[in-house]
Amino acid sequence: MYFEQINKNTWRCIADGPRHPVTGKRKQISRRGKTKTEAKKRVEEAIEKIKGSVDYSEKITYQEFMEEWLKLYRLKGNKETTVKHREYCLSLMGNHLGKLKIAELTSKQLQDTLNMLFDKGTAYYTLRGIKNALDMLFKYALETGLIESNPTTPLFVPKEKSKLVDEIKDETAKLYLEPWELKKFLELADAHRNVLYRTMIYVIAFTGMRPGEALALKLKDVDLKNKKIHITKTVYAKGSLRGDFELTPPKTKNAIRTIDIDDIVIEKIQYLLDYKEQKDWISSEYLFGDVDGIPPTIKILNQHIRRLGQKTGIEKQFRTYILRHTHISLLAEAGVDLQFIMGRVGHKNSKTTTQIYLHVTEGMRENAAQKMHTKFTELLSKNKEK
């Protein structure tokens, strides 16, 4: 172990780290500090972290190291959907940096790549996911002694300037259907020849559950007598083929919940169950099992919703989530408390849910103000007559 003074306020300590478990070679560990003592302490801490861990070659590329890290990340018991999300986010960076040595990547290279993805229109939440995944990836590189400092520390997520309130309102209005739009959509759904998709549309619109939660429902989860549905799982699609899925825990702990259901939903579900029995469909433990007892894919459900939406002539993006958002808007219009709505749709906090809630309730306040003005005007008119 030896020391060198970099400048007046910085010392570097260098020491031999543990031997590589295969080659037997030692790797020098270097750390900086404001004093000799601090630099020495950081080196000792780094060596302790490396002991027993995998020692990677300094020539390992971003792509190779990313693949190694993902294997370990999966082994920690993370949900497959989470692993796939991390992989997707890191791959977006890998498309541009994959062949470069990870030990030589700089903060500027990483930030420039983030900025480039932003310029190409990558969504803010995706960029934020990339930043989070990079933090974890390079933290592991630091812990294994591959790098001396974490280049992700100064990174930031680029985002657009705040928009005018009117623009935000217009965008929020596109997220859900107005009551008259929902009525028009459901009239077309009622005419849909496939009773399975017809029922799913009603269940999602009148419960606000996520499409994956709906498809994962089993008969035992539905209590028609007590008018309740127990949501404890979701569908994770391994591929695009029907039946190629597994059941996983919901998105968050708050997503595990029991919700009350309306008589309209009960009627639709009961009709589906009776229809299955009459048509002699294969017995299935899944509520939305088809003629072969297998739930459809979210992709196919989206296609049905999109086709019905096109027939309405309403210029909004029709997919499963517009029904979930519509449910939120209906509860807000009914005067239901925001926290109750959050609990019903399985959110602890959600920017989208809050955004829709405030948009709807603001419209209600405007209506109330107009009604008050009319009432006060009427009152003043009567006083003048007297």
Side-chain angles (χ1 to χ4, degrees):
M1 181 179 291
Y2 66 96
F3 302 88
E4 62 177 342
Q5 189 169 10
I6 307 299
N7 53 48
K8 185 177 180 181
N9 300 313
T10 307
W11 283 83
R12 176 188 288 158
C13 177
I14 303 173
D16 287 334
R19 293 184 182 277
H20 190 280
V22 178
T23 65
K25 293 182 178 179
R26 284 193 179 276
K27 179 179 179 179
Q28 286 194 325
I29 306 301
S30 172
R31 292 293 185 271
R32 298 185 182 192
K34 293 180 180 179
T35 63
K36 278 186 176 182
T37 303
E38 183 181 342
K40 179 183 178 183
K41 182 180 179 182
R42 292 190 66 199
V43 164
E44 291 173 342
E45 289 175 348
I47 291 174
E48 284 301 315
K49 286 183 179 180
I50 293 172
K51 286 180 179 178
S53 66
V54 180
D55 191 8
Y56 295 100
S57 166
E58 291 182 351
K59 295 181 180 180
I60 191 169
T61 65
Y62 173 95
Q63 184 67 30
E64 293 168 338
F65 190 73
M66 179 193 84
E67 291 171 0
E68 289 293 320
W69 179 79
L70 284 169
K71 290 177 185 176
L72 296 173
Y73 188 70
R74 181 177 277 108
L75 289 173
K76 290 181 179 180
N78 291 293
K79 288 175 59 176
E80 190 60 28
T81 49
T82 304
V83 176
K84 289 293 183 184
H85 177 65
R86 303 294 186 206
E87 182 178 16
Y88 170 71
C89 290
L90 291 172
S91 295
L92 290 177
M93 297 290 285
N95 291 336
H96 307 281
L97 306 173
K99 295 181 180 180
L100 300 179
K101 296 176 184 177
I102 194 166
E104 296 179 357
L105 285 174
T106 65
S107 299
K108 185 178 186 305
Q109 287 174 304
L110 295 174
Q111 187 65 60
D112 286 346
T113 308
L114 274 176
N115 295 345
M116 180 188 63
L117 291 172
F118 169 73
D119 291 337
K120 287 186 174 182
T122 305
Y124 171 76
Y125 289 104
T126 301
L127 292 172
R128 193 172 69 178
I130 293 173
K131 169 68 166 57
N132 292 338
L134 286 174
D135 285 341
M136 289 185 278
L137 181 71
F138 280 91
K139 180 182 178 184
Y140 179 63
L142 185 65
E143 290 173 346
T144 56
L146 185 59
I147 57 177
E148 290 187 23
S149 59
N150 192 338
T152 67
T153 302
L155 296 186
F156 66 90
V157 180
K159 59 181 179 179
E160 295 180 357
K161 293 180 180 179
S162 299
K163 297 182 179 180
L164 296 174
V165 174
D166 288 342
E167 289 183 58
I168 296 173
K169 286 182 180 178
D170 290 341
E171 290 182 3
T172 303
K174 294 177 183 178
L175 296 175
Y176 64 90
L177 299 176
E178 299 288 350
W180 69 269
E181 293 174 327
L182 178 62
K183 183 179 179 182
K184 189 173 184 179
F185 177 77
L186 290 179
E187 285 173 354
L188 288 167
D190 285 332
H192 196 295
R193 63 180 181 178
N194 191 312
V195 64
L196 187 70
Y197 291 100
R198 196 163 72 216
T199 308
M200 282 191 284
I201 287 170
Y202 265 92
V203 168
I204 294 174
F206 282 73
T207 65
M209 68 177 69
R210 298 175 178 89
E213 294 171 344
L215 292 174
L217 286 176
K218 295 186 177 182
L219 294 176
K220 64 181 182 180
D221 299 321
V222 182
D223 186 350
L224 297 182
K225 182 179 178 181
N226 294 305
K227 302 181 180 181
K228 295 182 183 298
I229 288 181
H230 307 290
I231 301 170
T232 59
K233 52 196 168 295
T234 189
V235 164
Y236 165 65
K238 296 180 179 178
S240 58
L241 296 178
R242 185 173 62 99
D244 187 15
F245 68 88
E246 67 178 73
L247 299 181
T248 66
K251 190 174 182 181
T252 63
K253 291 181 180 180
N254 297 83
I256 298 176
R257 62 200 188 278
T258 297
I259 60 173
D260 298 314
I261 52 177
D262 188 82
D263 289 337
I264 296 172
V265 176
I266 293 172
E267 180 184 331
K268 296 294 180 182
I269 292 177
Q270 188 60 60
Y271 182 86
L272 173 64
L273 297 176
D274 294 340
Y275 181 88
K276 286 184 177 184
E277 188 174 348
Q278 291 169 9
K279 298 297 181 179
D280 200 25
W281 285 16
I282 290 178
S283 178
S284 172
E285 61 178 334
Y286 292 99
L287 173 63
F288 293 120
D290 60 15
V291 66
D292 297 318
I294 304 171
T297 64
I298 294 177
K299 182 179 179 180
I300 297 299
L301 175 59
N302 263 320
Q303 289 177 0
H304 281 266
I305 292 174
R306 186 166 59 250
R307 288 168 187 162
L308 288 174
Q310 289 172 347
K311 291 180 181 179
T312 65
I314 299 168
E315 295 184 1
K316 289 185 177 180
Q317 187 179 12
F318 280 84
R319 58 191 183 97
T320 52
Y321 267 79
I322 201 170
L323 300 179
R324 175 171 161 85
H325 295 159
T326 299
H327 184 72
I328 294 168
S329 73
L330 292 174
L331 292 178
E333 191 167 335
V336 178
D337 178 76
L338 176 59
Q339 290 306 312
F340 179 87
I341 296 176
M342 290 280 193
R344 182 171 173 83
V345 299
H347 277 149
K348 183 176 182 181
N349 48 60
S350 165
K351 181 181 177 181
T352 302
T353 301
T354 304
Q355 193 175 333
I356 293 171
Y357 181 86
L358 293 176
H359 185 267
V360 174
T361 52
E362 182 177 350
M364 292 167 60
R365 285 195 295 271
E366 290 174 357
N367 290 336
Q370 183 59 46
K371 288 178 181 178
M372 284 190 292
H373 175 71
T374 302
K375 191 67 177 177
F376 294 158
T377 302
E378 180 184 341
L379 179 64
L380 291 173
S381 297
K382 287 182 179 179
N383 286 339
K384 288 180 180 178
E385 290 175 4
K386 291 181 181 180

